[in-house]
């Protein structure tokens, strides 16, 4: 079993399938335009091997992220491969949603069950300002396509930034009344050298929650794969509202996750640049990979407090 020094069992792996992205979000990629050379990126077969070995050690959940996973060629093929792994109970995707209109059905058919779409604003001009691309209507169509393809739950990840979108909190919460959408507000995190992060942009979760409750009473609720989110529902609402305090609180004591970078390095904490290179073990058979995973897990830090601000940007570590 993948149990670390502190008794935490690893059940969750976030796989960054590419560092490329079709958006330039100001909190992620903004000033950073270098891509990994294609020959360094793990093939789908190699990702499959890592996941299969980890599942044989008790891993249960995999989230595909990036970069933008849907821009990688034949991404549906990867979903098909991974969804066939016995013992993998939950396969999910985080996407900016731009390519979901044409891909949601195929993804569902390939075995994907649920999806998180990142969306920080409901205003077209702001969407352009935040992401560098005039694509709000495509993302909204992508969300509709995900719902009609039967992906469930469909979650919306919203990063709140002061002076940029904090005034939209009530409007976003209202979305969950009429739509079966599961919104999650995320604190802006100081991750990556290419990001426009500054303390003046940070809105603590307590303030986000206060603004959200302006809409109505939030009652505790449950949603599949809730992870570190605290989840609530407005009376009669079809969806839920979740809150993730990535910075002002921490959940290190119960952290059960690892990250796999596009070039095959394991990362142990979002806030730490410590990595373990799995590449040398990829061609040596499943037993060697299992041993490497068991060795790697020893590097998982007790808490992100030991870590500082990571240099690598979100899209190359699977945000
Ligand atoms: N391209 C996909 C997408 O847009 O969802 C997947 C990768 S993206 C890096 C994953 C998530 O990380 C997004 O929801 C994004 O909002 C979030 N993210 C990126 N940088 C962040 C930051 N500095 N603070 C908080 N969340 C961040």
């Amino acid at each position: 079993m993948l149990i670390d020094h502190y008794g935490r069992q690893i059940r969750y792996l976030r796989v960054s399938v590419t560092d490329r992205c079709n958006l330039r979000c100001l909190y992620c990629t903004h000033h950073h335009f270098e891509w990994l050379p294609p020959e360094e990126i793990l093939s789908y077969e190699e990702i499959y091997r890592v996941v299969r070995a980890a599942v044989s050690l008790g891993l249960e959940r995999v989230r595909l992220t990036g970069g933008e996973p849907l821009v990688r060629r034949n991404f549906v093929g990867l979903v098909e491969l991974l969804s066939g792994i016995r013992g993998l109970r939950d396969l999910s995707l985080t996407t900016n949603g731009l390519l979901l209109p044409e891909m949601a059905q195929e993804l569902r058919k390939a075995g994907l069950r649920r999806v998180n779409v990142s969306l920080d604003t409901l205003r077209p001009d702001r969407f352009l300002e935040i992401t560098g691309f005039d694509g709000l209507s495509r993302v909204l169509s992508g969300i509709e396509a995900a719902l009609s393809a039967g992906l469930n739950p469909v979650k919306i990840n919203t990063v709140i930034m002061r002076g940029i979108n904090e005034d939209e909190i009530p409007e976003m919460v209202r979305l969950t009344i009429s739509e079966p959408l599961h919104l999650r507000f995320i604190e802006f995190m100081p991750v990556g050298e290419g990001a426009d992060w500054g303390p003046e942009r940070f809105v603590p979760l307590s303030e986000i929650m206060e603004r959200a409750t302006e809409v109505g009473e939030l009652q505790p609720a449950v949603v599949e794969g809730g992870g570190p989110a605290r989840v609530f529902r407005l009376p009669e609402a079809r969806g839920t509202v979740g809150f993730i305090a990535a910075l002002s609180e921490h959940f290190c004591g119960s952290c059960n996750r690892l990250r796999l970078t596009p070039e095959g390095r394991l990362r142990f904490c979002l806030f730490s640049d410590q990595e373990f290179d799995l590449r040398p073990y990829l061609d040596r058979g499943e037993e060697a990979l299992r041993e490497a995973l068991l060795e790697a897990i020893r590097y998982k830090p007790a808490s992100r407090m030991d870590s500082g601000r990571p240099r690598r940007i979100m899209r190359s570590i699977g945000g």
Side-chain angles (χ1 to χ4, degrees):
M1 287 292 131
L2 283 171
I3 296 178
D4 75 3
H5 264 331
Y6 307 96
R8 297 169 298 191
Q9 185 175 350
I10 305 305
R11 298 178 196 271
Y12 179 34
L13 178 69
R14 294 177 72 97
V15 179
S16 177
V17 302
T18 175
D19 63 331
R20 295 187 183 241
C21 191
N22 43 2
L23 292 181
R24 299 285 177 273
C25 297
L26 50 85
Y27 50 70
C28 184
T29 266
H30 205 42
H31 303 301
H32 195 289
F33 299 101
E34 276 167 39
W35 311 106
L36 290 165
E39 63 280 8
E40 284 186 19
I41 305 285
L42 292 190
S43 67
Y44 289 158
E45 168 63 28
E46 287 169 328
I47 293 175
Y48 170 75
R49 278 183 230 155
V50 173
V51 172
R52 206 180 50 185
V55 168
S56 75
L57 292 170
L59 189 86
E60 293 171 346
R61 300 170 51 197
V62 167
R63 174 169 296 279
L64 301 172
T65 175
E68 174 48 40
L70 301 189
V71 301
R72 183 156 170 190
R73 193 158 0 129
N74 188 27
F75 175 72
V76 174
L78 176 65
V79 171
E80 234 157 35
L81 263 183
L82 298 184
S83 63
I85 296 179
R86 287 239 317 260
L88 180 61
R89 295 207 341 232
D90 181 27
L91 180 63
S92 57
L93 164 72
T94 297
T95 170
N96 59 35
L98 280 176
L99 294 173
L100 273 181
E102 50 269 55
M103 291 179 70
Q105 288 282 357
E106 286 180 87
L107 288 165
R108 179 72 189 95
K109 271 197 215 128
L112 189 75
R113 288 192 36 245
R114 61 195 190 92
V115 68
N116 288 17
V117 182
S118 303
L119 179 63
D120 303 321
T121 176
L122 296 170
R123 302 187 192 170
D125 53 332
R126 274 197 189 162
F127 188 94
L128 173 62
E129 186 192 339
I130 295 171
T131 69
F133 185 74
D134 184 12
L136 178 64
S137 61
R138 275 198 70 79
V139 175
L140 295 176
S141 311
I143 292 169
E144 261 170 49
L147 289 170
S148 28
L151 292 168
N152 182 26
V154 175
K155 296 186 187 171
I156 308 295
N157 288 355
T158 303
V159 178
I160 295 296
M161 294 158 282
R162 189 164 324 273
I164 306 231
N165 64 348
E166 90 268 37
D167 55 339
E168 286 190 66
I169 295 170
E171 212 172 319
M172 301 284 297
V173 169
R174 267 184 224 109
L175 249 192
T176 67
I177 300 177
S178 54
E179 304 298 328
L181 294 174
H182 301 275
L183 187 64
R184 295 134 53 89
F185 289 115
I186 302 173
E187 279 179 346
F188 192 16
M189 294 181 280
V191 177
E193 283 175 343
D196 267 348
W197 195 90
E200 70 287 355
R201 290 259 179 261
F202 179 70
V203 184
L205 199 76
S206 52
E207 192 178 325
I208 300 175
M209 287 182 85
E210 219 175 278
R211 297 296 302 271
T213 43
E214 283 170 18
V215 179
E217 191 197 345
L218 291 172
Q219 299 156 347
V222 179
V223 65
E224 189 187 331
R230 281 189 267 159
V231 183
F232 300 87
R233 188 188 293 274
L234 284 168
E236 316 287 318
R238 298 180 72 198
T240 61
V241 184
F243 300 90
I244 304 182
L247 211 62
S248 61
E249 293 166 18
H250 70 90
F251 16 83
C252 308
S254 57
C255 180
N256 64 353
R257 59 182 59 183
L258 289 178
R259 291 181 155 76
L260 182 67
T261 69
E263 76 277 43
R265 297 168 191 271
L266 278 180
R267 286 180 73 102
F268 309 98
C269 169
L270 187 55
F271 293 92
S272 160
D273 277 319
Q274 171 111 51
E275 295 179 343
F276 183 98
D277 192 1
L278 281 179
R279 286 207 85 109
Y281 306 93
L282 291 173
D283 294 325
R284 297 205 208 145
E286 189 158 316
E287 191 48 40
L289 250 179
R290 263 200 291 267
E291 276 167 26
L293 288 166
L294 290 168
E295 155 88 24
I297 194 65
R298 303 191 343 203
Y299 293 97
K300 190 166 169 65
S303 143
R304 71 141 202 263
M305 299 308 167
D306 324 335
S307 305
R309 180 173 177 170
R311 281 176 299 105
R312 284 190 73 168
I313 53 174
M314 278 293 215
R315 66 181 161 76
S316 67
I317 57 182

